[in-house]
Amino acid sequence: MKERLQNILAKAGVASRRSAGDLISSGRVTVDGVRVSEKGFRLEQEGHSVEVDGKPISANVPKLYFLLNKPKGVITTARDTHDRKTVADLFEKEGARLFTIGRLDKDTTGVLIVTNDGDLAHRLSHPSFEIDKEYEALVEGPIGPREVRRLERGVKLDGKQTSPCLIVRIGERNGAQVFRLRIHEGRKRQVRRMFEKAGGVVTDLKRIRYAGLETGKLKEGEYRKLTDKEIDILKRSDI
Ligand code: URA
C-alpha cells in the first residue's frame, strides 16, 4: 500500500510530520537516488531506498520518549540558523534525531516532551487534542481580579478569541504577582500575549504540567525517560 513520504519519514523518527514536509520541500530527501520535493509524494512502504541529506532512514528505529525540564536560553526548533543553543543540543549523547512535542519560548522553562515518535508529536501538537497545560507566570503590572476574569473568559489574539481558561493568583514574588494558568491551547507566546492584553508583563514563565506530567525532581536542563505507563497515557491522550 502506498503511503505519503512525509509519514514514512515521521514513522522512521526523522522529524515530526510537519517538519518532515519541510525537509521534503527544501530538497533534502531522495527516493532511490532521485530528489523529491513534492510534499504529497506517495510511495510503496517497502522496497525503496529513502535518504535524508544522503543518509538512509531506518524504519525500525526504537522510539524514545523523554521529559525535559527546559532551561532558559534554549530554543525548541530543530536547527537554528543563528547558531543558538537548541533542545536537540541537550540530547546529543542520546545519538538520535529527536524533536519536541509543541514549543516553548526561548526563555520559558519547564515540562517539554522530547521524542523521535513523529506520529505522536504530530497528533499531540494538533489543536483538536486539547492537551491540558499548566503554567506559573510572574507578572508585573496592574492585574487585578477584573483583568483575571477577562483573561479567563478569553481575549482576542491575532483576531481569534482564546478559549476559556482557569487563572489563580497564588501570591507575590520580588514585588510581582504569581499566577497559575490552566489552558489547553498552544498558540504562539500565548500566556505572555494574554497578560500583555490586560496591561501586564510576564517576567518569568514556567510550564509546570503537560498532560499530567510534571518536572518533579528534575533541575532545569535535566531530563529523564518517560515510563511505559506515561507513554501509554500520552498515546491514549485526549487529556
Ligand atoms: N505561552 C507563552 O507565552 N510562552 C510559552 O513558551 C508557552 C506558553
Side-chain angles (χ1 to χ4, degrees):
M1 204 179 70
K2 285 196 173 181
E3 171 139 45
R4 285 168 82 98
L5 178 56
Q6 196 171 355
N7 297 353
I8 291 176
L9 293 173
K11 284 199 177 123
V14 172
S16 68
R17 245 187 265 179
R18 192 186 312 154
S19 311
D22 295 340
L23 284 178
I24 298 168
S25 49
S26 59
R28 292 168 56 193
V29 182
T30 57
V31 175
D32 300 330
V34 178
R35 195 167 305 284
V36 172
S37 50
E38 180 201 329
K39 272 194 191 178
F41 187 82
R42 300 172 88 88
L43 71 162
E44 291 295 335
Q45 292 183 42
E46 310 271 311
H48 292 283
S49 144
V50 178
E51 295 186 352
V52 177
D53 295 333
K55 292 196 198 103
I57 64 161
S58 154
N60 296 316
V61 225
K63 295 286 182 279
L64 301 167
Y65 304 86
F66 299 98
L67 188 157
L68 167 71
N69 183 353
K70 180 190 168 297
K72 280 192 184 185
V74 173
I75 59 167
T76 48
T77 43
R79 267 197 191 187
D80 186 48
T81 42
H82 297 91
D83 238 13
R84 289 174 298 184
K85 196 169 174 117
T86 69
V87 166
D89 294 333
L90 301 176
F91 285 83
E92 233 159 25
K93 77 171 165 58
E94 300 300 331
R97 272 193 266 228
L98 296 168
F99 34 90
T100 63
I101 297 189
R103 292 183 174 180
L104 288 177
D105 298 337
K106 179 164 155 265
D107 286 328
T108 302
T109 59
V111 182
L112 189 63
I113 307 300
V114 181
T115 180
N116 59 351
D117 184 339
D119 267 350
L120 185 73
H122 176 76
R123 260 181 355 104
L124 296 190
S125 304
H126 198 273
S128 64
F129 268 95
E130 307 210 333
I131 300 283
D132 252 1
K133 299 155 191 152
E134 213 167 308
Y135 294 90
E136 192 170 295
L138 189 67
V139 185
E140 288 180 1
I143 306 288
R146 198 177 338 164
E147 286 72 27
V148 167
R149 297 290 90 76
R150 196 181 131 217
L151 290 174
E152 283 186 318
R153 282 197 300 269
V155 286
K156 269 200 175 153
L157 297 180
D158 307 319
K160 192 172 164 249
Q161 197 81 359
T162 55
S163 301
C165 66
L166 189 70
I167 305 179
V168 180
R169 183 187 185 282
I170 60 162
E172 283 186 9
R173 200 162 71 226
N174 307 332
Q177 302 190 79
V178 184
F179 292 98
R180 288 230 169 129
L181 293 84
R182 192 182 306 157
I183 62 179
H184 54 248
E185 295 173 291
R187 291 159 67 178
K188 197 168 177 210
R189 299 185 65 253
Q190 178 160 349
V191 174
R192 295 176 199 272
R193 290 196 296 155
M194 282 171 65
F195 278 106
E196 271 164 32
K197 279 272 171 174
V201 178
V202 173
T203 54
D204 198 40
L205 185 61
K206 180 178 180 71
R207 181 150 73 188
I208 55 176
R209 195 168 293 124
Y210 175 91
L213 297 167
E214 299 179 8
T215 51
K217 292 198 176 111
L218 295 175
K219 298 200 182 84
E220 285 176 22
E222 290 181 346
Y223 62 85
R224 66 167 174 86
K225 281 194 170 147
L226 290 185
T227 63
D228 289 346
K229 198 167 162 202
E230 289 169 334
I231 296 167
D232 260 11
I233 292 174
L234 281 182
K235 287 189 174 168
R236 285 191 279 112
S237 205
D238 38 22
I239 314 165

